[in-house]
């Protein structure tokens, strides 16, 4: 199910490439369209405005067996000759086919593992956002929301699978690219596309209708009439407009229906459109084989030339394959353990993903680059947000002493099953109303009690003074200064209560004064940063002095308080939306990644579990492969320095 989308060519984005095809660019509706009545003047066009396939004048035949041919035969007669094959009922003995229809089993066995999921309506209809989700969260959600699991299988899943008999040999598995799983509630319908691997697709639970066309019939799918040439047809598979795309009628249709336990082999280059059948759950497993490497071996070209090059490459391959070792009796996990050289890069880490390194503060402690902001969050929301964040891997929490966030965090951390206290980094603030030595110490004392902890990772003086724009204080003649508060923090550091100290909302002149006075290093400055207000001078100053810059208000909601018309200035912005679509993520995640790529720590506030998960995906979106959309934001988004 992987397309030739050039965007994803390269080292990392195996999962991205696979997923692309499921949510193609022309998939207009989430739920398949009903066929519309024929207008009279097109009444004799067979299948006009009906689903792809209904236009067929001619059908081809897909060879269908009820046993696996030997791998050597499969190679010689099918792979080498580009012939699709269906094997019916051959996987009935897979433990997966028996067990995976039971959601309790899925929950129990795979519940805590994380999988790649795409979520449909975070950026817009046609461009999914990626999110890492534990299986339990997916099962809780997938019947209600437009989510689709599309992921490398987990090691535990690999224990419930064997390689299908016709590929279970060393000769073929040496070309293994990935074993992936596709899981949804039974509503998916792909666009019409081709893959960049040999695809061996096994239906585990539920069914699927497959429609295939020969590679050369791709010319009737108009893929080259539109940029980009990525192997995806512009024809809407839900309602084929024959007045616009008359050649679709010329296509010879090869169709078949898979039930649980059936398997289809689709050679690289065959176009296909696939629709799930039956309700939830619908689960399939695909084995992708890198046989041709066509996308890498052939020069950049349009789809028609690409297909011809692939056909030629296939013809040049040896006519016979040596199988060497047979492995049909081993589970997939046993195969990859016993023959580690067969393990493809995509499966080496079994979905373990690298996060950006935590930042080493001047105090010598490490602080994660992304955390959850809790300030101003209602207690009830915090009760669900914090455990979810811990579960999906958040370890940095930014609290506010003026609301209930410390108490919420404290009570959850006191019985937190996800990690130890030492693994969590807690930020506490001192409100300017508590400036002065004693008041600051008392404020921190209260925070410690509410947090039920005996040390704080980072304390920030929230503002250098009271004001009327967010830091309102009651009149108090005895209130001290930030300089005195800083001394209090240094003392608390010496006594072991506070590990790192810093300030918020300080100007350069104030920081200069602080640096002259401080005997304990200033580890962090928290200040405003977003795409419009970039605070470049302040950030440069911080970098020069080894102070880590942490953004507040990075998602732009502060502009609303400041009278920005109607809505958040970023979430509907075309530049941000384009980047979100291209990186397959949400607008918020784009803004977070933009900041993180500038070494800025971010602590976005959210009480929505999905948003919390998607925000964390800022670590994983594939900016390196194509930074142009981030560069566009950097250069062209109207901004102040
Ligand atoms: C998806 O869209 C629906 C309808 O617009 C909305 O109610 C829901 O909150 C959205 N889901 C997410 C996760 O944003
Ligand atoms: C193929 O499509 C035709 C027309 O829709 C249908 O009659 C036939 O049953 C399909 N074959 C399979 C195996 O699904
Ligand atoms: C106090 O601060 C210093 C310098 O930032 C740091 O090295 C030390 O570990 C801190 N003390 C504690 C108890 O964490
Ligand atoms: C971010 O920090 C790292 C390590 O201190 C540094 O090497 C890198 O140049 C910084 N990047 C930016 C964009 O400032």
């Amino acid at each position: 199910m992987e397309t030739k989308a050039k965007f994803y060519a390269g080292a990392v984005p195996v999962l991205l490439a696979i997923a692309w095809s499921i949510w193609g660019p022309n998939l207009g509706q989430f739920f398949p369209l009903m066929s519309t009545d024929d207008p009279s003047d097109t009444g004799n066009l067979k299948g006009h405005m009906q689903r792809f396939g209904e236009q067929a004048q001619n059908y081809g035949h897909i060879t269908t067996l009820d046993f696996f041919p030997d791998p050597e035969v499969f190679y010689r007669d099918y792979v080498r000759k580009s012939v699709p094959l269906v094997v019916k009922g051959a996987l009935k003995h897979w433990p997966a086919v028996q067990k995976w229809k039971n959601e309790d089993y899925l929950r129990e066995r795979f519940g805590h593992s994380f999988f790649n999921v795409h979520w449909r309506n975070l950026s817009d209809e046609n461009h999914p956002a990626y999110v890492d989700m534990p299986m339990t969260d997916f099962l809780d959600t997938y019947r209600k929301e437009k989510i689709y699991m599309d992921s490398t299988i987990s090691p535990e899943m690999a224990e419930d699978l064997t390689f299908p008999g016709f590929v279970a040999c060393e000769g073929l598995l040496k070309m293994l690219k990935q074993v992936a799983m596709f899981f949804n509630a039974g509503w998916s319908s792909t666009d019409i596309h081709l893959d960049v691997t040999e695809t061996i697709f096994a239906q585990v639970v539920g069914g699927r209708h497959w429609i295939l066309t020969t590679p050369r019939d791709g010319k009737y799918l108009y893929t080259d009439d539109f940029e980009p040439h990525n192997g995806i047809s512009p024809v809407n598979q839900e309602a084929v407009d024959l007045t616009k795309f008359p050649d679709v009628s010329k296509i010879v249709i090869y169709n078949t229906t898979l039930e649980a336990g059936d398997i289809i082999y689709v050679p690289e280059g065959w176009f296909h459109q696939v629709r799930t059948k039956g309700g939830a759950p619908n689960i399939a497993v695909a084995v992708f084989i890198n046989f041709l490497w066509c996308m890498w071996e052939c020069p950049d070209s349009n789809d028609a030339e690409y297909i011809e090059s692939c056909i030629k490459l296939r013809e040049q391959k040896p006519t016979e394959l040596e199988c060497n070792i047979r492995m049909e009796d081993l589970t997939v996990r046993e195969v990859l353990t016993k023959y580690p050289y067969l393990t493809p890069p995509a499966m080496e880490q079994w979905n373990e993903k690298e996060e950006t390194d935590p930042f080493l503060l001047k105090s010598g402690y490490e602080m994660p680059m992304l955390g959850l902001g809790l300030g101003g969050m209602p207690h009830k929301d915090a009760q669900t947000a914090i455990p979810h964040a811990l579960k999906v891997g958040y370890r940095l929490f930014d609290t506010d002493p003026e609301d209930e966030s410390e108490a919420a965090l404290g009570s959850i951390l006191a019985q937190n099953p996800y990690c130890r206290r030492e693994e969590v980094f807690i930020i506490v603030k001192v409100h300017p109303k508590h400036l002065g030595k004693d008041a600051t110490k008392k404020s921190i004392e209260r925070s410690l009690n509410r947090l039920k902890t005996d040390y704080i990772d980072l304390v920030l003086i929230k503002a250098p003074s009271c004001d009327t724009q967010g830091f309102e204080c009651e009149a108090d003649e005895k209130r001290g200064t930030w300089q005195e508060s800083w001394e209090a923090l240094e003392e608390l550091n010496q006594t072991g209560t506070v590990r790192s100290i810093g300030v918020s909302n300080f100007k350069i002149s104030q920081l200069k004064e602080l640096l002259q006075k401080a005997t304990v290093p200033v580890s962090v400055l928290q200040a405003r940063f977003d795409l419009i207000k970039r605070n470049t001078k302040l950030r440069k100053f911080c970098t020069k002095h080894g102070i880590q810059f942490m953004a507040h208000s990075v998602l732009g909601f502060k502009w609303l308080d400041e009278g920005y018309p109607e809505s958040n200035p970023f979430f509907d912005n075309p530049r941000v939306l384009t980047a979100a679509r291209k990186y397959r993520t949400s607008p918020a995640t784009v803004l977070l990644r933009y900041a993180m790529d500038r070494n800025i720590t971010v602590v976005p506030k959210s009480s929505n579990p999905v948003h919390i998960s998607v925000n964390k995906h800022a670590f994983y979106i594939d900016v390196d492969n194509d930074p142009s959309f981030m560069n566009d934001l950097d250069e062209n988004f109207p901004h102040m320095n």
Side-chain angles (χ1 to χ4, degrees):
M1 310 270 288
E2 189 180 2
T3 71
K4 182 180 152 239
K6 296 254 165 53
F7 186 71
Y8 295 117
V12 200
V14 181
L15 293 170
L16 300 187
I18 290 167
W20 173 228
S21 60
I22 293 156
W23 304 107
N26 57 23
L27 188 51
Q29 295 289 318
F30 168 66
F31 291 106
L33 290 175
M34 303 312 290
S35 304
T36 50
D37 289 334
D38 284 349
S40 54
D41 59 340
T42 52
N44 47 14
L45 290 179
K46 184 189 172 202
H48 176 60
M49 296 314 283
Q50 293 183 6
R51 286 177 172 177
F52 179 60
E54 300 296 323
Q55 302 71 30
Q57 318 275 357
N58 293 298
Y59 287 94
H61 174 68
I62 306 179
T63 306
T64 302
L65 305 175
D66 58 5
F67 60 90
F68 288 128
D70 282 338
E72 292 88 350
V73 175
F74 172 62
Y75 175 82
R76 187 191 64 212
D77 293 350
Y78 298 91
V79 178
R80 175 62 173 64
K81 293 180 181 160
S82 186
V83 177
L85 171 68
V86 168
V87 181
K88 302 284 297 177
L91 294 171
K92 282 266 155 69
H93 67 283
W94 264 12
V97 173
Q98 309 305 325
K99 294 176 175 169
W100 290 10
K101 55 189 166 211
N102 177 353
E103 288 185 20
D104 293 336
Y105 177 83
L106 298 176
R107 212 176 272 275
E108 201 174 293
R109 282 271 285 150
F110 317 126
H112 296 299
S113 304
F114 281 73
F115 297 92
N116 185 63
V117 168
H118 24 133
W119 196 293
R120 199 58 189 285
N121 64 343
L122 283 172
S123 61
D124 72 11
E125 265 300 273
N126 301 326
H127 299 82
Y130 287 87
V131 48
D132 270 335
M133 227 185 230
M135 178 64 90
T136 44
D137 285 11
F138 180 80
L139 291 170
D140 289 343
T141 322
Y142 86 106
R143 290 166 187 269
K144 297 179 282 207
E145 298 274 5
K146 304 170 181 179
I147 57 177
Y148 192 134
M149 187 179 281
D150 159 355
S151 190
T152 302
I153 58 167
S154 70
E156 291 76 26
M157 288 181 156
E159 291 171 6
D160 286 351
L161 306 166
T162 55
F163 284 105
F166 57 174
V167 285
C169 77
E170 195 212 24
L172 278 161
L173 291 181
K174 273 204 291 216
M175 300 182 274
L176 179 66
K177 175 166 183 185
Q178 195 188 14
V179 183
M181 171 198 40
F182 301 90
F183 185 174
N184 68 43
W187 44 260
S188 68
S189 172
T190 71
D191 48 24
I192 310 165
H193 65 276
L194 54 74
D195 293 351
V196 296
T197 58
E198 310 298 301
T199 299
I200 291 143
F201 193 95
Q203 192 68 41
V204 178
V205 185
R208 260 185 179 74
H209 293 296
W210 283 77
I211 298 177
L212 274 56
T213 85
T214 63
R216 283 189 174 125
D217 269 5
K219 62 180 171 293
Y220 303 135
L221 284 166
Y222 299 84
T223 61
D224 281 331
D225 289 12
F226 298 89
E227 293 280 353
H229 303 305
N230 58 2
I232 300 173
S233 168
V235 173
N236 178 356
Q237 71 282 354
E238 307 301 341
V240 177
D241 188 341
L242 286 177
T243 58
K244 232 168 123 187
F245 303 113
D247 286 355
V248 172
S249 302
K250 298 182 188 162
I251 293 171
V252 179
I253 293 291
Y254 292 71
N255 64 326
T256 189
T257 302
L258 299 192
E259 309 290 349
D262 298 348
I263 197 162
I264 187 169
Y265 160 62
V266 183
E268 173 168 356
W270 281 67
F271 281 86
H272 48 278
Q273 196 278 321
V274 189
R275 188 184 301 278
T276 50
K277 167 177 171 283
N282 189 297
I283 309 177
V285 167
V287 177
F288 295 110
I289 302 275
N290 259 332
F291 176 53
L292 295 181
W293 295 96
C294 196
M295 194 161 109
W296 291 265
E297 297 286 326
C298 303
D300 255 7
S301 61
N302 65 23
D303 285 344
E305 290 164 24
Y306 175 80
I307 285 168
E308 290 306 321
S309 312
C310 297
I311 290 172
K312 223 173 267 147
L313 268 183
R314 197 179 289 267
E315 287 167 359
Q316 289 159 8
K317 294 282 175 186
T319 49
E320 304 284 337
L321 170 107
E322 293 266 352
C323 203
N324 298 326
I325 314 166
R326 293 287 199 106
M327 305 164 177
E328 61 259 34
D329 296 331
L330 300 179
T331 66
V332 168
R333 185 159 195 182
E334 285 165 342
V335 168
L336 299 184
T337 309
K338 193 163 171 198
Y339 306 100
Y341 60 95
L342 298 179
T343 307
M347 299 182 73
E348 251 158 26
Q349 299 156 340
W350 299 91
N351 277 354
E352 290 287 320
K353 292 186 181 175
E354 290 273 316
E355 291 188 7
T356 313
D357 289 338
F359 201 90
L360 184 62
L361 301 176
K362 263 208 156 160
S363 60
Y365 290 98
E366 288 187 330
M367 180 172 72
M369 288 299 287
L370 185 149
L372 184 67
L374 298 173
M377 194 184 292
H379 194 70
K380 197 169 144 287
D381 291 354
Q383 293 295 331
T384 51
I386 296 168
H388 181 81
L390 285 165
K391 179 166 75 176
V392 302
Y394 280 72
R395 295 294 179 262
L396 170 66
F397 294 90
D398 185 22
T399 65
D400 189 325
E402 299 308 299
D403 56 37
E404 294 171 288
S405 55
E406 291 175 340
L409 183 62
S411 63
I412 290 163
L413 287 182
Q415 38 197 304
N416 160 30
Y418 300 105
C419 61
R420 290 171 296 124
R421 162 68 184 95
E422 303 82 78
E423 294 170 54
V424 177
F425 193 106
I426 302 176
I427 303 174
V428 158
K429 309 266 179 55
V430 175
H431 192 280
K433 72 170 97 159
H434 298 125
L435 287 178
K437 218 162 177 174
D438 286 345
T440 291
K441 284 189 171 173
K442 281 193 187 124
S443 173
I444 290 173
E445 195 62 37
R446 284 193 295 272
S447 296
L448 285 164
N449 285 334
R450 287 189 291 242
L451 284 161
K452 302 188 207 295
T453 183
D454 54 7
Y455 75 93
I456 296 168
D457 296 276
L458 171 67
V459 174
L460 300 174
I461 299 172
K462 202 173 169 184
S465 58
C466 297
D467 65 20
T468 52
Q469 281 142 26
F471 299 112
E472 290 80 3
C473 310
E474 317 241 304
D476 177 357
E477 277 153 26
K478 283 180 287 172
R479 178 173 298 117
T481 61
W482 65 257
Q483 289 85 347
E484 290 161 354
S485 288
W486 184 263
E487 285 165 26
L489 296 187
E490 292 196 343
E491 286 173 21
L492 289 171
N493 164 262
Q494 249 97 62
T495 58
T497 308
V498 175
R499 292 189 161 179
S500 309
I501 56 183
V503 293
S504 284
N505 300 304
F506 274 44
K507 295 195 217 117
I508 290 182
S509 56
Q510 291 159 330
L511 284 175
K512 278 187 179 156
E513 186 187 336
L514 173 58
L515 286 173
Q516 289 211 323
K517 149 178 189 58
T519 58
V520 172
V522 183
S523 284
V524 172
L525 169 74
Q526 190 181 60
R528 184 159 174 192
F529 173 87
D530 64 39
L531 261 187
I532 299 175
K533 192 167 173 60
R534 299 187 182 174
N535 252 328
T536 309
K537 261 201 200 140
L538 187 59
R539 288 193 289 125
K540 275 211 180 112
F541 182 87
C542 287
T543 307
K544 188 167 154 214
H545 295 279
I547 303 171
Q548 172 61 357
F549 190 96
M550 179 185 290
H552 71 63
S553 317
V554 66
L555 299 183
F557 290 107
K558 200 150 174 83
W559 290 102
L560 297 182
D561 305 339
E562 291 168 5
Y564 194 89
E566 296 152 39
S567 61
N568 175 301
F570 305 126
F571 287 9
D572 296 330
N573 179 277
R575 283 207 155 83
V576 176
L577 278 174
T578 302
R581 288 168 189 159
K582 295 299 175 183
Y583 298 127
R584 302 282 180 268
T585 194
S586 66
T589 307
V590 167
L591 301 175
L592 298 174
R593 178 61 180 262
Y594 178 84
M596 285 160 66
D597 281 347
R598 282 153 189 79
N599 282 345
I600 297 171
T601 308
V602 289
V603 282
K605 180 170 92 178
S606 174
S607 56
N608 177 330
V610 180
H611 292 176
I612 291 171
S613 292
V614 176
N615 287 348
K616 184 158 182 288
H617 211 70
F619 283 117
Y620 313 127
I621 61 175
D622 191 21
V623 173
D624 297 344
N625 205 35
D626 186 355
S628 61
F629 304 99
M630 281 296 181
N631 294 343
D632 176 58
L633 291 179
D634 194 42
E635 286 153 25
N636 300 324
F637 201 97
H639 61 276
M640 322 171 208
N641 275 322

